[in-house]
Amino acid sequence: MRNFLALTLLSALLGLTNGQSMCPPLFIEFFPDPAVPMPVCIHFAMDAKRDWHAAKDYCKANSGSSLAMLDTGNLHYEIIDYILGNPAWMDEGFHIGCTDEIHEGTWLWTDGTPVSTGLPHWYPGQPDGYTKENYGCLYYTDFMYNSCKNGQMLYTICQI
Ligand SMILES: [Ca+2]
């Protein structure tokens, strides 16, 4: 295991020096923490709108990724900047990997960790909608966290 980690780190550093992406095809590199040389790999799935569960399955089927978990470092705001750089995306919403479907009001990422509350991630007044809105999304025009309606069809942000 230690050798595998060393090799992974070495290939990551080599990837950095030769300019090749360390992310799989379709995934974009983000470096939200300057102290961490490994990228966060993000895929914006713009081919179709899906409900949250289909979005989660779509990510898993694409390089084993997860719906995006954006509490880390500057990642959320770097993704906001990226979305705002694509004018065609500005009237849209995007599924991310948090939900309170298991226990109303208890928002968890899909890896089971608690989601931050309030600013700077959640839009003021969000989450709302009680049991009718159990799925986290980034919603126009600010792309802060919102609770989106159950079954709502949106684009998807996957993360490795
Ligand atoms: Ca809810």
Side-chain angles (χ1 to χ4, degrees):
M1 189 58 169
R2 191 180 297 165
N3 283 343
F4 173 76
L5 289 173
L7 274 175
T8 303
L9 182 59
L10 180 63
S11 56
L13 291 170
L14 287 171
L16 271 183
T17 53
N18 69 14
Q20 289 179 355
S21 175
M22 286 179 270
C23 295
L26 303 180
F27 285 77
I28 302 163
E29 293 180 320
F30 284 82
F31 293 92
D33 181 349
V36 177
M38 290 290 288
V40 175
C41 302
I42 295 289
H43 170 48
F44 295 91
M46 309 301 291
D47 61 311
K49 294 183 180 179
R50 299 171 169 86
D51 72 21
W52 188 86
H53 288 280
K56 186 180 169 191
D57 292 344
Y58 169 90
C59 290
K60 191 171 184 187
N62 278 271
S63 302
S65 61
S66 305
L67 285 168
M69 296 184 274
L70 303 179
D71 278 355
T72 307
N74 295 322
L75 184 58
H76 180 198
Y77 278 82
E78 291 191 5
I79 283 178
I80 290 174
D81 285 345
Y82 193 89
I83 292 170
L84 295 177
N86 288 273
W89 298 5
M90 286 190 193
D91 295 335
E92 306 292 352
F94 298 84
H95 290 298
I96 59 172
C98 60
T99 177
D100 75 337
E101 67 182 356
I102 294 173
H103 184 269
E104 173 56 33
T106 302
W107 285 83
L108 300 174
W109 297 107
T110 54
D111 68 357
T113 57
V115 179
S116 67
T117 57
L119 295 171
H121 294 296
W122 287 90
Y123 189 79
Q126 294 289 326
D128 63 358
Y130 300 98
T131 56
K132 292 190 166 96
E133 299 190 7
N134 290 343
Y135 301 99
C137 60
L138 304 186
Y139 214 67
Y140 75 96
T141 55
D142 50 81
F143 302 103
M144 296 172 78
Y145 299 177
N146 272 253
S147 52
C148 274
K149 293 184 182 69
N150 305 345
Q152 191 164 350
M153 305 291 279
L154 300 171
Y155 293 122
T156 300
I157 306 177
C158 303
Q159 176 174 337
I160 299 171

